[in-house]
Amino acid sequence: MSAPQANFRPLVAAGTLLGIGLGGFVDGIVLHQILQVHNMLSAKYPPDTLVNVEINMVWDGLFHAFTWLMTVIGLAMLWRAGQKPEVPWSTRTLIGSLVMGWGVFNLVEGVIDHHILHLHHVIERLGASAADWLFLGVGGVLFLLVGRAIIASGSRDTPASHPSPGTAPGPGGRY
Amino acid sequence: MTRTRPAAILGGVLLVLLAAALSARACPVCDTGTGRAVRAGVFGADFGRNLLVTALPFPIFLGITALLYYGPPSVRRRGGDDTERKT
């Protein structure tokens, strides 16, 4: 009986979408809500009046709703990946995919919202600034490359590590 | 029980003050001057464009995810790539 062919794609795709969603939540929670350095449409509606703050809050909410949707779809994909015996249940692949997804979020959101459409900038009171490029370089490109490197480090993991039905857990109950 | 009463009264007063605060009556569904201004700002002429630009990155995220799941068309035609290998 031949060994199943390892397929990392479902796990990488699920982890990346989860990373995109969780990265979006980091952006929204840390930059929009806690630090309040920008909001979704803060370049268009400067949050210097109560009405503009409330308008931005609505669009921030919509952004969070879409981000939540990405997270839920990513979770569903992860669940399905867990049911496929050919998918190696690799922690390194999942962690790498999460980091890569966070990088994808920062890169795409940064290019579209900060640089092309100018919906907002990382530090709104500075307008277009070095912070936008730092966000793109470190949060986007660097995270993407680090994530990809972590995924590559798990490329030797095999489907034998998969907790498919009938597979007994290893020492300490770990697969 | 009587020791907690001042704290409970203070909590109640704070709750009333917070509920009466301007920000609490500025929500988009509030029937106040500020609430109406927020509604007008959100559902104004730019609503469609604002919705489009806010949502724009998300189909791209789904597209990237689909690409990772199924692989680029050239790889799909070949029937696999480096993320699929014999073990």
Side-chain angles (χ1 to χ4, degrees):
Chain A
M1 191 173 147
S2 63
Q5 189 168 351
N7 182 10
F8 286 83
R9 286 193 178 282
L11 185 58
V12 170
T16 301
L17 196 57
L18 269 174
I20 286 168
L22 295 174
F25 280 130
V26 170
D27 187 300
I29 293 167
V30 176
L31 301 178
H32 294 214
Q33 294 177 325
I34 296 175
L35 301 178
Q36 298 177 18
V37 288
H38 69 248
N39 297 99
M40 192 61 223
L41 300 179
S42 52
K44 188 172 180 179
Y45 305 102
D48 49 8
T49 65
L50 177 61
V51 171
N52 278 3
V53 168
E54 294 271 340
I55 290 171
N56 272 294
M57 209 180 282
V58 170
W59 293 109
D60 282 351
L62 203 70
F63 162 76
H64 276 130
F66 286 129
T67 305
W68 181 85
L69 199 63
M70 297 298 113
T71 311
V72 169
I73 296 172
L75 194 59
M77 289 177 69
L78 184 65
W79 180 258
R80 286 196 54 157
Q83 292 172 325
K84 293 175 189 283
E86 75 275 17
V87 177
W89 207 236
S90 163
T91 303
R92 283 177 293 192
T93 305
L94 179 64
I95 298 291
S97 304
L98 289 169
V99 175
M100 188 169 82
W102 192 359
V104 167
F105 173 86
N106 291 337
L107 196 63
V108 172
E109 196 266 346
V111 168
I112 292 178
D113 293 351
H114 306 165
H115 293 274
I116 296 177
L117 298 175
H118 297 279
L119 301 181
H120 60 255
H121 297 98
V122 174
I123 302 175
E124 196 60 73
R125 65 183 178 83
L126 300 179
S129 70
D132 292 344
W133 291 104
L134 200 68
F135 183 87
L136 216 57
V138 176
V141 177
L142 187 66
F143 277 28
L144 208 148
L145 293 176
V146 168
R148 194 161 163 73
I150 299 172
I151 291 170
S153 76
S155 64
R156 290 185 187 282
D157 292 340
T158 65
S161 61
H162 194 282
S164 56
T167 305
R174 294 173 64 179
Y175 288 97
Chain B
M1 288 295 276
T2 50
R3 279 185 195 167
T4 57
R5 194 165 291 165
I9 292 169
L10 183 64
V13 169
L14 280 174
L15 197 67
V16 169
L17 285 174
L18 282 171
L22 185 60
S23 58
R25 292 185 288 133
C27 65
V29 292
C30 295
D31 191 22
T32 61
T34 317
R36 278 189 289 273
V38 172
R39 259 197 314 277
V42 172
F43 299 106
D46 279 356
F47 175 75
R49 186 183 183 278
N50 289 342
L51 183 64
L52 184 73
V53 294
T54 300
L56 187 61
F58 294 94
I60 296 173
F61 295 142
L62 291 176
I64 291 170
T65 305
L67 204 67
L68 288 169
Y69 190 92
Y70 295 109
S74 58
V75 171
R76 259 178 286 161
R77 273 195 299 274
R78 274 205 320 268
D81 76 340
D82 58 288
T83 61
E84 288 185 31
R85 60 184 174 77
K86 282 269 184 199
T87 54

